[in-house]
Amino acid sequence: EIEGLSGELVEGEDYPFTLTGDLTVKGITAPVTFDATASVDDGTLTATATAATAAPAAARPSILAGV
């Protein structure tokens, strides 16, 4: 799901939004939220994001092992 991003994007402006969904790594699925920023420069759409997971702390090492 995308929240906070709608309408036309103006070149050179930054647009914060969030992406939510499920992320599966090595067979383990956990809900994630990505806080993201999009921008358009020279006709190219670029987005950067960071993620947080609701996975229990005990599951995190197994999710990340070998990634």
Side-chain angles (χ1 to χ4, degrees), residues 1-6 15-21 34 36 38:
E1 180 178 342
I2 299 173
E3 294 182 24
L5 188 62
S6 63
Y15 296 91
F17 65 100
T18 58
L19 298 168
T20 56
F34 292 90

Side-chain angles (χ1 to χ4, degrees), residues 2 6-7 9 11-15 17 19 21 26 29-31 34 37-38 41 43 47-51 54-55 63:
I2 299 173
S6 63
L9 302 180
E11 184 119 359
E13 297 288 325
D14 289 336
Y15 296 91
F17 65 100
L19 298 168
K26 299 190 95 174
T29 301
F34 292 90
T37 301
D41 292 302
T48 56
T50 57
I63 290 173

Side-chain angles (χ1 to χ4, degrees), residues 4-66:
L5 188 62
S6 63
E8 187 175 329
L9 302 180
V10 176
E11 184 119 359
E13 297 288 325
D14 289 336
Y15 296 91
F17 65 100
T18 58
L19 298 168
T20 56
D22 292 329
L23 176 66
T24 302
V25 176
K26 299 190 95 174
I28 299 171
T29 301
V32 293
T33 299
F34 292 90
D35 293 319
T37 301
S39 63
V40 178
D41 292 302
D42 293 325
T44 300
L45 174 65
T46 303
T48 56
T50 57
T53 180
R60 290 183 194 140
S62 63
I63 290 173
L64 299 175

